[in-house]
Amino acid sequence: MVQHVDPEVLALLALGEQDVVSDDERAHLASCVACQAERDSLADVASTARELGPEELVAPAPHVWDRIRAEIDQEEASSDAAWVAGVESAEAEVVDLASRRRPAALWAVAAASAALVVGVGGGIAWERAQGPEAVTAPTPVAVAQAELEPLPDWPDSTGSATVEEAAGGELEIVVSVAGADGSGEGAYREVWLIADDLSGMVSLGVLKGDTGTFPVPAGLDLERYSLVDVSEEPFDGDPTHSGDSIVRGGLDQA
């Protein structure tokens, strides 16, 4: 299974914190297109935010804050449960208190992601939306779609993929798969973009559940990498495609 760099580490790298990455993470980042794209995207957000003046501050839509708070609460609950389990263990292992500070790092991720929405003048400022003046984030526009057809070994599977363009031009692909469970103990599902002549492929990440949203790496030509593929991958440490595709389909303009 591909072990990508933690999103929090990528966010801190985008903010200029170079000492937060381990040697293994640095080596992975040097060769992983998906991690590079996420880091560069966050860096663009932070850079644009620093250029905004106080007079350009706008209020974010209420759901932005709600989603950030929900993610932080989920992380806090998971961290607390792990800490309690360690305390109650008969072996009474020592708990690394640094792991208990994970929610604080999430605030850094939230700040980097929200910087473009609320504006920054020498630092990150946050204004909660109130009343009729609240600003609603533009709805992404679907620019390409694909029906994902089952491969012979997965006759009951179906799927779809939609490429969406945000107001700033960033692309994301929403992938859904039904009728195939590749998340058992011995395998997981991975989403790929494959060149139409099969000369290359790019991993977008692991599909958790039936639907997932993945950023399209900056600069990737979707006219060439037009095949969307979902594969079943064993936990064997090999980052290449297993050759066992569940569904696959070509992107067409929406």
Side-chain angles (χ1 to χ4, degrees):
M1 178 179 180
V2 177
Q3 185 62 47
H4 293 294
V5 179
D6 192 297
E8 296 175 31
V9 174
L10 293 175
L12 292 173
L13 281 173
L15 291 172
E17 299 292 337
Q18 298 299 320
D19 59 348
V20 298
V21 62
S22 67
D23 292 340
D24 289 343
E25 289 171 327
R26 196 180 303 279
H28 174 84
L29 186 60
S31 60
C32 179
V33 175
C35 287
Q36 293 171 7
E38 186 170 355
R39 177 203 59 194
D40 294 344
S41 177
L42 288 171
D44 288 342
V45 171
S47 175
T48 303
R50 293 189 185 99
E51 296 174 0
L52 296 176
E55 68 279 0
E56 296 179 90
L57 294 179
V58 294
H63 72 272
V64 175
W65 176 254
D66 293 339
R67 289 179 61 183
I68 291 173
R69 181 178 295 279
E71 290 184 16
I72 292 174
D73 289 344
Q74 184 177 0
E75 289 289 342
E76 288 178 337
S78 298
S79 179
D80 289 343
W83 182 78
V84 170
V87 170
E88 294 177 347
S89 170
E91 297 180 2
E93 297 181 358
V94 176
V95 178
D96 180 7
L97 294 181
S99 66
R100 303 273 292 152
R101 294 196 295 270
R102 181 177 175 85
L106 278 176
W107 282 108
V109 178
S113 301
L116 184 57
V117 179
V118 300
V120 171
I124 297 175
W126 185 273
E127 252 185 62
R128 297 197 63 178
Q130 297 181 2
E133 296 181 357
V135 177
T136 302
T139 302
V141 178
V143 296
Q145 295 177 331
E147 291 296 324
L148 306 183
E149 302 294 335
L151 275 291
D153 290 341
W154 303 86
D156 297 327
S157 302
T158 59
S160 64
T162 302
V163 178
E164 297 180 343
E165 183 177 9
E170 302 86 357
L171 297 178
E172 290 185 332
I173 184 166
V174 181
V175 178
S176 297
V177 177
D181 184 7
S183 59
E185 293 183 359
Y188 62 96
R189 290 178 292 180
E190 190 163 0
V191 179
W192 307 79
L193 287 176
I194 302 177
D196 51 13
D197 59 0
L198 305 182
S199 61
M201 62 178 63
V202 175
S203 171
L204 297 184
V206 176
L207 179 62
K208 300 177 181 179
D210 292 336
T211 302
T213 301
F214 307 88
V216 176
L220 188 68
D221 184 0
L222 289 182
E223 291 189 2
R224 179 187 174 199
Y225 287 85
S226 60
L227 295 178
V228 181
D229 180 277
V230 180
S231 66
E232 181 175 77
E233 300 290 332
F235 290 105
D236 57 3
D238 185 351
T240 60
H241 195 292
S242 66
D244 185 8
S245 294
I246 301 171
V247 290
R248 183 183 298 167
L251 289 168
D252 294 318
Q253 284 190 327

